[in-house]
Amino acid sequence: MTAASPIRIWDIPGGIHPQENKLQSLGHGIETPPLPRELIVPLQQHIGARAEPCVAVGDKVLKGQLIAEASGFVSCPLHAPTSGTVTAIGPAPYPHASGLEEWAIRIEADGEDRWCELDPISDFRALEPAALLDIIRASGISGLGGAGFPTAVKLKARPEQKIHTLIVNGTECEPYITADDSAMRYRAEQIVSGIEVLMHILRPEQVLIGIEDNKPEAIEAMRAAVGERPMQVVVFPTKYPSGGEKQLIQILTGKEVPSGGLPADLGMVCQNVGTLLAIHDAVVLGQPLIKRITTLTGDALSHPTNVEALIGTPIRELLTFAGLQPEKLYRLVMGGPMMGFTLQSMDAPIVKTTNCLLAGSKAELPPPPPAQPCIRCGLCAEACPASLLPQQLHFFALGKDYDQLKRQNLFDCIECGACSYVCPSSIPLVQYYRAAKSEIRALDLQQHKADHSRQRFEHRQERLQREAEQKERDRIARAEKAARLKAAKEAEAAKQADSDAAVPAADAPAPKAGGLTPEQKQLKIAAATAQMALKKAQKQLTANPDNADLQAQIPQLEQAAREAQEAFDKAQGEVSNQPAAPAPQAAGEDDAKKLKIEAAMLRAALKKAERAAGDNPSDQQQAEIAKLREQAEAAEARVPATAAAKKPVDETLKQAKLDLAMARAATRKTERALAESPDDADLQAQLATQQQALSAAEKALHEAENSSPIPPPERQRVDKKPVDEQLRELKTNLATTKADFKRAERELKDATEAGGDTAAAERELATRRAALDVAAKAFADYMASKETN
Amino acid sequence: MSMIITAIVVLLGLALIFGAVLGFAAVRFKVDGDPIVDQINNLLPQTQCGQCGHPGCRPYAEGIANGEPINKCPPGGESTIQALADLLDVEALPLDAEHGEEKPRMVAYIREAECIGCTKCIQACPVDAILGAAKQMHTVIVDECTGCDLCVEPCPVDCIDMLPLPTTPQNWKWDFPLPSSALIATDANRGAA
Amino acid sequence: MALVRMTSPHAKGSNHTQTIMLWVLGATLPGIAVLTWFYGFGTLINILYASAVALLVESLILAIRKRPIGFYLRDGSALVTAWLLALALPPYAPWWLTLIAVSFAIVFGKQLYGGLGQNPFNPAMLGYVVVLISFPVEMTSWPAWRGIEAVVPDVHATLGLLDGVSRIFLPVSGEIDGWTLATALDVVKTNNSLTMTELQATSPAFGQFAGYGWEWVNLAYLLGGLVLLYKRIYSWHAPVGMLAALAVMSLLFWNGSGSDSNGSPLFHLFSGATMLGAFFIITDPVSGATSKQGRLIFGAGVGILVYVIRAWGGYPDAVAFAVLLMNLAAPTIDYYSTPRTYGHSKAKRGMGKTD
């Protein structure tokens, strides 16, 4: 296949022939503008997800260094266009029709323009296609023709499809733009090299380079660069919009990309010459995508030209380079006059897809006359390259009839603007279509969200329903158990006292599920609350055995609980014969455990009381102990004999554990006493011995554990955060000082009430407060220092 | 006379035949459509906000199926009223101001510094868009929030705000151009922008 | 200077609605010239008068509708309606007839539907049909042509300007003798005794191949239409559709040259308002079909209906009725003639699900 053999070309329907206006910017080749002071590199320069910055403010970066990573599948990394310092990462001016800001990395150039370490490939043919694709992706290459799709993703869009035709888009059909023309004229060799890289990756059967016939120099240059290679330079008549991907495919191959599909579905891939240039730079030179060729044109510029500009250069600087006359500037367009969008501010930077900046004067790009009504002349339908009926789309858009718009294939419109161009009534047709498309998309999204919300709501209702039913079932079960237990008790009571048998058991109404009267319910709740309070106090007592207040409280609580229970039972119509405070509410399967717990607690209480009483128990204490002993034994008796398999008890192990606990408790007590009176030598000595005992006990425990026949308990490894010893110490300190402070307060209160000498108490309080403040400050300082690290 | 009898017999016969055909067609070609309540419910915006006077969107859908006016839903706005009018073949009335006005989409935002963790808002949210637990801080999952407003009332420390969704370059859109008769004189020369 | 925000495209072609309208009017000039030559100044006077009436009536209606008058008058559509209506009406229609026709056309035919671009019916044809049905005598008073005295001594053509003005503005009701004659279409329709050749020989209404004088008018309109096609003011589909259908129908139903002949294709193509209709009436974009295929069908429908009414209907010429009937069908034609969009395998015809 030689380069000269003719290739058949087709024609696209419709199309227009606007004034080309390309000569203005072709007189100076490709110039290099001066290095800008500051560069703004937006994180979103292409279709897909925003890139994630991987530098921080204040970092020094080199030219070509990675500054943002691709996030997700459809995304591109970003590289620093020049060497300098990162000054900010945040919202910055962004080139968009809305004028809204977008996140960007600002770099202040240091003027040296120093490259980072590059990795050029001398022979790319030695690499695997996958490796080349990785290089392309890592170099941040996205389509430079206009849409900006990440190239690496585009090349792999349909992995199962074999690509048989590579189409190179050198068409540049839009008026004013000459960036691709200049690239082909002056960089033809590099472009062909880029094509060869792609050929190595895709291995297509044919390569077609499409160029319009209004670029004779570029055609010559490309033909010369191609030489004898298996690439075809295809020249076809100039028409707008032949440069669109779908239209170019139709011209060069006669095939149509299916609606909603990709060219890859046909086995074709289309790449812009600028992208190929970037691929060459990335693979052969190792340079990531940091610059592109942009056309600067328009009547408001005195020196229209093409420049190879760094991505992120503020537009103002480029236009100044091209001789901007601000008083003549009326409309600033990024892109060409047919598909470009207007910019409100010149502070925005250029991005990867900026192929042209058109600084138009009022005479050149006048405001359109006010729109007249549509006369259905049909010139728009004749111009449409997608064979749509723009007049129908217009009428349906006016009436907001979204169903008919979809039926008229609104989403096949490529927004080329040919219809608006020819409209005799100056109707802004493309704006109608854009607005309608975004409305339809927004409505679809809303509908989708509404469906989703509806599902969540329905699931939530179901869940609440389930929970309510479950509660209901549990309540019924509990009520039944209560009834059964009551029946059992009644049977007992009936056996005990025959006279009582006369009392109709029906008097104590077997509480049907929910058959309690409100007063009974109240009493039941009161009884339960009292029980809870008592249990809580008992638990606290086991934790703090020295707390005299608790010890005093418990009998009171027991009394209260007992009374409440009696009241409830009376209301139930039953004589309570359970004077014991912790009366088991209902017997049941898992009440065995409850009973055991109660028995254990009572035993503990008993032991506590005995210890508190010491060697000389007072009468009251003796009575207490006796009562507790009774209760403990009774509770023991209640525990069902068929106890669950008790854990095998190793006496030595148990003893070792107990010893350790006691040693620890003793040490702590001494430590606290020592804290109160640090100069007491006796206490110090005592502390020393106790610490020794503690370490001995620990050792004993370890030995016992190791030699124990019982397997060590399966510890559930909870990943606790590594304990910061210092923090723990500070916390403990804080807690103890707080406790001391509170005690001092109480003592003061007691002293004042007793009317005695408060001076000592006040002094005590002051000392304690000081200690507390010191501890608190130490703690706070520590926390603060931790945070700043 | 015989003519009359013949006529009657023939007409009766025809009536029977056609009736049979119609009856057969009604059974054989019956289309199992969605019950109308489901179709109406699918058009409603599912915020479950209660502004229509019903405790949720499905009860309102049932109400509409029973003949209630279709213009009581402010979050759905005009597009919902239009869709309902198309579905039910009734006239599209303007939104009933008594039930609220059409506002742009809002989402709830909890000022976390003030949240006390009472879970009252979690119980109020009809789509479980609030994340949190008792005595833990609560926060709104923005993607799930429908802007129904039901969480604002129960909060005892009034720490919930309703904020409009911000406009970003991703969700900004062009407006429809104004018709010529609506252009004011000073705009006339600036093109339909 | 603050930069403006505008939607793309930022370049504009040079088409304007006014330009299109003016070209259409300009293309009628050959026909007007021929008409004036043969029939006097009646048409010219009527054109001026009708235009004035149209602009006045439209201003009134726009004022009532509270729209900017200058903006809407400037698009020239009222002018075109009046002009075409004046061409369609008999050259010496009385002033009140023209007044009624034009007012009805502007008010009911265009403005009450919402103005330019919203009317389903061709306004000129609507006005024409209203007066045709209401005032049949005046509407069938076709004037005699230049040189008629040589053939029919009692009849005189009204060629002078003053004569024309007086006939229009000071009509004497009922006086149709002396200056009107039946047209060729009338003659053929009412004929049931003579053969075509005899008819052509005896009746003064016949010219070389169609009605005398009227054949030249039609040729002039054809010329104007071809100029418009060349300037691509509209596409060829509608006129070609109509003329082809008319030719085919008259070929099929020619019925020989006996007394019950319906007339040759050439006869039909160049008689009456055929060419005016083909190039100026059915190409009205607002009321016609939208897509190219649709226009072909629209034109063909008009041609068929014209022939049907001419041959078997109650009126000698039928372009107005045919156009109105096809205007009714235009939306349906649009729905069923959508072109196939790029990327789709076939076109989506019809309206789609309606519920």
Side-chain angles (χ1 to χ4, degrees):
Chain A
M1 237 196 305
T2 62
S5 69
I7 281 272
R8 177 172 170 203
I9 50 172
W10 286 256
D11 192 14
I12 52 171
I16 53 174
H17 297 96
Q19 288 246 321
E20 287 178 16
N21 277 312
K22 294 199 190 226
L23 286 174
Q24 297 99 301
S25 47
L26 284 173
H28 302 275
I30 302 178
E31 301 185 281
T32 310
L35 198 62
R37 262 182 316 105
E38 189 193 33
L39 292 152
I40 305 173
V41 185
L43 295 176
Q44 176 112 40
Q45 297 189 28
H46 46 67
I47 298 175
R50 215 185 259 163
E52 296 274 337
C54 60
V55 292
V57 176
D59 283 359
K60 293 226 180 317
V61 291
L62 292 172
K63 182 164 176 154
Q65 180 177 332
L66 183 73
I67 53 174
E69 288 170 336
S71 78
F73 183 57
V74 183
S75 187
C76 259
L78 289 172
H79 300 83
T82 188
S83 56
T85 322
V86 176
T87 51
I89 302 180
Y94 181 68
H96 192 262
S98 62
L100 293 169
E101 291 189 332
E102 183 49 76
W103 279 65
I105 300 178
R106 281 192 202 244
I107 299 178
E108 189 176 317
D110 62 8
E112 294 173 31
D113 212 28
R114 217 174 343 142
W115 276 101
C116 66
E117 199 180 304
L118 298 177
D119 191 16
I121 313 274
S122 48
D123 182 17
F124 61 83
R125 278 176 242 271
L127 289 179
E128 287 291 317
L132 286 171
L133 278 174
D134 280 339
I135 296 176
I136 291 176
R137 181 183 162 91
S139 307
I141 297 182
S142 58
L144 298 186
F149 207 77
T151 304
V153 180
K154 184 169 176 177
L155 291 172
K156 284 189 299 200
R158 296 272 188 266
E160 67 282 358
Q161 259 289 9
K162 167 90 183 80
I163 304 291
H164 56 71
T165 304
L166 172 62
I167 294 179
V168 177
N169 192 345
T171 314
E172 205 164 51
C173 53
E174 214 167 336
Y176 284 97
I177 309 182
T178 50
D180 290 345
D181 192 357
S182 306
M184 287 191 288
R185 282 191 204 192
Y186 304 110
R187 306 278 159 94
E189 300 283 343
Q190 290 95 316
I191 295 175
V192 170
S193 167
I195 298 177
E196 289 188 315
V197 172
L198 273 194
M199 282 172 74
H200 181 68
I201 297 177
L202 300 170
R203 311 223 193 257
E205 288 161 21
Q206 62 171 346
V207 178
L208 301 170
I209 305 174
I211 311 180
E212 275 186 341
D213 64 6
N214 59 357
K215 303 178 181 56
E217 296 92 342
I219 295 169
E220 275 312 305
M222 286 302 287
R223 283 215 169 109
V226 165
E228 293 300 314
R229 294 186 181 79
M231 304 170 194
Q232 302 259 17
V233 174
V234 185
V235 180
F236 52 87
T238 303
K239 184 150 76 160
Y240 178 84
S242 328
E245 189 177 62
K246 293 185 179 176
Q247 276 60 44
L248 187 61
I249 289 177
Q250 192 175 18
I251 291 175
L252 294 179
T253 64
K255 299 214 176 72
E256 293 182 15
V257 177
S259 169
L262 297 171
D265 291 332
L266 296 172
M268 302 187 201
V269 152
C270 183
Q271 291 287 355
N272 181 273
V273 290
T275 318
L276 291 165
L277 199 54
I279 291 178
H280 161 84
D281 285 348
V283 172
V284 176
L285 301 178
Q287 294 176 358
L289 177 60
I290 53 161
K291 61 185 194 306
R292 65 155 298 142
I293 299 177
T294 304
T295 307
L296 304 172
T297 182
D299 273 350
L301 299 177
S302 62
H303 178 82
T305 179
N306 279 285
V307 290
E308 192 162 37
L310 293 175
I311 289 166
T313 311
I315 289 173
R316 196 186 296 275
E317 304 219 6
L318 285 176
L319 292 180
T320 316
F321 173 74
L324 173 67
Q325 292 151 321
E327 67 285 357
K328 278 176 108 174
L329 180 61
Y330 173 69
R331 223 197 282 207
L332 178 60
V333 178
M334 177 176 282
M338 299 300 295
M339 291 182 74
F341 54 89
T342 47
L343 290 171
Q344 313 288 103
S345 145
M346 290 197 278
D347 297 324
I350 63 164
V351 289
K352 291 179 183 173
T353 53
T354 306
N355 52 1
C356 175
L357 286 172
L358 174 56
S361 62
K362 194 154 186 178
E364 188 178 28
L365 297 178
Q372 293 171 316
C374 169
I375 60 170
R376 302 175 72 92
C377 64
L379 289 172
C380 52
E382 284 176 38
C384 181
S387 307
L388 293 166
L389 287 177
Q391 65 274 53
Q392 294 288 73
L393 290 174
H394 168 64
F395 278 115
F396 290 132
L398 272 179
K400 306 222 167 86
D401 191 343
Y402 300 120
D403 284 327
Q404 284 293 344
L405 277 172
K406 282 194 250 194
R407 198 184 161 74
Q408 292 279 343
N409 300 324
L410 173 66
F411 283 92
D412 284 317
C413 168
I414 61 173
E415 296 180 20
C416 66
C419 51
S420 298
Y421 184 85
V422 296
C423 180
S425 299
S426 309
I427 302 176
L429 291 169
V430 183
Q431 189 176 351
Y432 276 104
Y433 307 149
R434 284 205 188 102
K437 278 188 198 175
S438 43
E439 269 301 314
I440 292 177
R441 284 194 198 111
L443 282 176
D444 281 345
L445 186 66
Q446 223 179 322
Q447 181 65 26
H448 185 75
K449 288 193 97 164
D451 283 340
H452 183 73
S453 299
R454 185 168 45 86
Q455 266 191 341
R456 276 181 86 90
F457 176 63
E458 284 171 5
H459 286 152
R460 178 191 143 98
Q461 296 291 77
E462 278 173 34
R463 190 189 78 225
L464 292 176
Q465 178 87 346
R466 268 201 315 268
E467 283 174 8
E469 283 172 8
Q470 183 65 27
K471 255 197 219 168
E472 194 60 29
R473 277 200 293 273
D474 284 344
R475 203 153 53 76
I476 294 175
R478 272 201 307 271
E480 281 176 5
K481 276 185 225 148
R484 248 180 290 141
L485 181 62
K486 207 154 291 176
K489 279 191 220 144
E490 277 175 14
E492 259 186 59
K495 270 197 227 115
Q496 281 181 4
D498 288 335
S499 50
D500 286 341
V503 176
D507 215 16
K512 293 198 319 264
L516 293 175
T517 66
E519 310 90 55
Q520 289 173 337
K521 267 198 206 141
Q522 288 276 28
L523 290 170
K524 187 170 176 190
I525 291 172
T529 332
Q531 291 286 352
M532 284 294 305
L534 177 63
K535 281 207 183 93
K536 202 156 141 201
Q538 285 175 335
K539 269 203 207 102
Q540 282 182 338
L541 187 60
T542 41
N544 303 321
D546 305 316
N547 198 327
D549 294 340
L550 275 177
Q551 287 181 344
Q553 274 175 18
I554 285 191
Q556 292 170 3
L557 288 174
E558 287 176 2
Q559 178 76 19
R562 212 179 318 137
E563 284 170 3
Q565 184 64 27
E566 280 179 12
F568 176 56
D569 292 338
K570 220 175 286 172
Q572 286 274 345
E574 181 197 17
V575 174
S576 165
N577 54 4
Q578 315 259 17
Q585 290 292 350
E589 305 83 54
D590 35 18
D591 291 322
K593 216 203 293 189
K594 278 203 203 116
L595 292 171
K596 264 199 278 177
I597 292 173
E598 278 162 25
M601 275 173 55
L602 284 168
R603 251 178 291 142
L606 174 63
K607 278 215 187 74
K608 265 337 127 32
E610 282 175 343
R611 225 182 315 136
D615 298 320
N616 298 316
S618 65
D619 286 336
Q620 191 213 6
Q621 283 173 325
Q622 273 186 333
E624 273 293 322
I625 290 171
K627 192 162 53 163
L628 281 173
R629 198 171 288 140
E630 242 183 71
Q631 288 174 1
E633 282 165 12
E636 278 304 274
R638 274 199 296 275
V639 173
T642 57
K646 288 169 75 169
K647 289 202 216 96
V649 175
D650 184 348
E651 286 301 325
T652 21
L653 186 60
K654 195 157 65 149
Q655 191 60 37
K657 281 191 188 159
L658 279 170
D659 286 340
L660 178 64
M662 280 177 40
R664 203 181 281 151
T667 328
R668 285 237 180 84
K669 196 160 155 202
T670 321
E671 278 176 352
R672 244 178 292 142
L674 200 57
E676 281 181 32
S677 32
D679 302 321
D680 195 334
D682 286 337
L683 282 177
Q684 283 175 346
Q686 200 180 359
L687 182 64
T689 31
Q690 279 177 338
Q691 278 175 338
Q692 271 182 339
L694 180 64
S695 37
E698 275 180 4
K699 234 180 267 146
L701 177 62
H702 285 310
E703 278 176 26
E705 275 181 345
N706 290 342
S707 56
S708 164
I710 306 169
E714 279 181 37
R715 289 205 191 91
Q716 275 172 325
R717 292 231 156 263
V718 174
D719 270 331
K720 291 167 82 165
K721 280 200 229 114
V723 179
D724 188 340
E725 280 302 323
Q726 194 182 358
L727 182 65
R728 195 182 352 165
E729 210 179 281
L730 285 171
K731 270 194 189 163
T732 332
N733 212 14
L734 182 63
T736 28
T737 44
K738 209 183 274 180
D740 291 340
F741 177 65
K742 284 223 173 71
R743 194 181 310 139
E745 270 186 339
R746 230 178 309 128
E747 280 171 9
L748 177 61
K749 196 165 72 135
D750 291 340
T752 5
E753 277 175 17
D757 171 28
T758 58
E762 281 170 351
R763 248 176 294 133
E764 185 72 11
L765 184 64
T767 344
R768 294 276 176 261
R769 187 181 292 138
L772 175 61
D773 284 342
V774 164
K777 185 158 187 314
F779 183 69
D781 284 341
Y782 186 73
M783 290 302 289
S785 73
K786 270 191 77 177
E787 265 176 31
T788 51
N789 279 351
Chain B
M1 188 57 198
S2 64
M3 249 187 1
I4 298 177
I5 297 183
T6 322
I8 294 175
V9 166
V10 166
L11 285 174
L12 265 176
L14 281 173
L16 281 171
I17 294 174
F18 285 126
V21 168
L22 283 174
F24 174 71
V27 171
R28 168 77 172 80
F29 300 112
K30 183 172 167 59
V31 173
D32 277 327
D34 253 346
I36 194 72
V37 174
D38 279 338
Q39 287 179 317
I40 297 175
N41 197 21
N42 280 342
L43 290 175
L44 294 175
Q46 302 301 324
T47 52
Q48 324 291 348
C49 61
Q51 285 177 289
C52 56
H54 294 268
C57 295
R58 184 155 256 276
Y60 183 40
E62 288 165 5
I64 292 179
N66 287 333
E68 269 186 43
I70 60 173
N71 61 347
K72 293 203 213 165
C73 177
E78 204 188 308
S79 54
T80 306
I81 295 178
Q82 274 293 334
L84 285 171
D86 284 339
L87 175 70
L88 301 168
D89 223 0
V90 295
E91 195 190 318
L93 306 158
L95 183 61
D96 191 352
E98 194 188 305
H99 292 273
E101 5 168 88
E102 184 169 6
K103 292 190 294 261
R105 254 301 289 289
M106 313 267 236
V107 283
Y109 175 72
I110 293 179
R111 290 195 295 276
E112 293 167 3
E114 298 168 37
C115 173
I116 60 170
C118 67
T119 75
K120 290 222 176 72
C121 60
I122 296 182
Q123 292 159 31
C125 176
V127 290
D128 290 338
I130 303 186
L131 192 63
K135 301 229 181 76
Q136 315 282 337
M137 197 187 56
H138 304 336
T139 189
V140 174
I141 307 175
V142 174
D143 285 339
E144 304 289 354
C145 176
T146 59
C148 72
D149 235 16
L150 287 174
C151 56
V152 182
E153 283 259 333
C155 178
V157 295
D158 198 20
C159 70
I160 305 188
D161 287 327
M162 298 300 291
L163 304 174
L165 285 171
T167 312
T168 60
Q170 277 72 33
N171 62 12
W172 178 86
K173 38 192 226 270
W174 281 98
D175 291 326
F176 277 93
L178 298 168
S180 314
S181 50
L183 286 173
I184 57 177
T186 51
D187 274 348
N189 241 3
R190 292 191 70 224
Chain C
M1 176 178 339
L3 297 170
V4 293
R5 176 203 292 169
M6 271 185 223
T7 175
S8 69
H10 308 284
K12 189 77 190 58
S14 50
N15 289 332
H16 292 290
T17 309
Q18 275 108 306
T19 323
I20 292 179
M21 300 289 175
L22 289 175
W23 266 105
V24 168
L25 295 182
T28 62
L29 291 176
I32 295 175
V34 174
L35 269 171
T36 312
W37 170 257
F38 275 109
Y39 298 99
F41 289 93
T43 309
L44 273 175
I45 300 168
N46 264 334
I47 286 175
L48 291 169
Y49 173 59
S51 308
V53 170
L55 290 172
L56 186 66
V57 171
E58 179 140 293
S59 318
L60 270 169
I61 276 283
L62 285 171
I64 295 176
R65 286 180 69 204
K66 299 201 179 62
R67 297 278 190 268
I69 295 179
F71 180 70
Y72 285 102
L73 279 187
R74 249 197 302 270
D75 60 26
S77 55
L79 206 59
V80 171
T81 305
W83 197 291
L84 292 177
L85 192 50
L87 289 177
L89 291 171
Y92 292 99
W95 62 272
W96 45 266
L97 191 85
T98 318
L99 180 70
I100 293 174
V102 171
S103 313
F104 195 88
I106 298 291
V107 174
F108 287 88
K110 195 172 104 175
Q111 287 298 336
L112 287 189
Y113 280 108
L116 179 64
Q118 316 269 38
N119 43 300
F121 295 111
N122 189 318
M125 290 299 102
L126 201 60
Y128 183 92
V129 162
V130 162
V131 288
L132 178 64
I133 296 175
S134 317
F135 308 108
V137 176
E138 283 81 0
M139 286 299 287
T140 50
S141 317
W142 295 94
W145 44 92
R146 179 188 294 265
I148 187 66
E149 300 81 0
V151 184
V152 181
D154 300 327
V155 180
H156 298 273
T158 326
L159 293 174
L161 178 57
L162 281 176
D163 283 337
V165 171
S166 72
R167 257 206 217 291
I168 291 174
F169 289 102
L170 305 166
V172 179
S173 75
E175 186 203 73
I176 55 169
D177 295 327
W179 62 277
T180 65
L181 263 187
T183 61
L185 282 170
D186 288 330
V187 170
V188 168
K189 192 163 190 70
T190 50
N191 167 61
N192 52 10
S193 50
L194 300 172
T195 67
M196 287 306 285
T197 24
E198 287 166 3
L199 211 50
Q200 272 180 309
T202 51
S203 166
F206 280 85
Q208 313 286 21
F209 42 86
Y212 188 90
W214 286 105
E215 59 200 355
W216 293 109
V217 175
N218 274 305
L219 274 169
Y221 284 139
L222 176 61
L223 180 66
L226 290 174
V227 169
L228 289 179
L229 281 179
Y230 173 73
K231 291 297 287 180
R232 314 195 73 181
I233 299 291
Y234 44 70
S235 66
W236 53 265
H237 300 81
V240 166
M242 175 178 170
L243 295 176
L246 189 56
V248 166
M249 285 294 282
S250 51
L251 259 177
L252 285 175
F253 298 100
W254 196 339
N255 237 355
S257 4
S259 59
D260 51 355
S261 165
N262 287 318
S264 67
L266 217 53
F267 174 73
H268 276 284
L269 284 177
F270 288 96
S271 294
T274 311
M275 289 300 171
L276 181 69
F279 290 99
F280 298 93
I281 305 288
I282 65 171
T283 51
D284 173 35
V286 180
S287 50
T290 274
S291 60
K292 292 187 267 203
Q293 213 182 348
R295 285 183 182 158
L296 210 54
I297 298 172
F298 180 80
V302 172
I304 293 171
L305 280 172
V306 164
Y307 188 83
V308 164
I309 299 176
R310 274 184 185 172
W312 303 293
Y315 284 87
D317 197 4
V319 173
F321 291 113
V323 168
L324 287 179
L325 284 171
M326 286 312 290
N327 284 150
L328 278 172
T332 311
I333 295 176
D334 278 340
Y335 275 119
Y336 284 93
S337 61
T338 30
R340 180 188 69 84
T341 309
Y342 179 104
H344 292 258
S345 49
K346 54 186 179 64
K348 285 192 197 143
R349 297 281 153 90
M351 279 195 54
K353 274 166 53 100
T354 45
D355 58 272

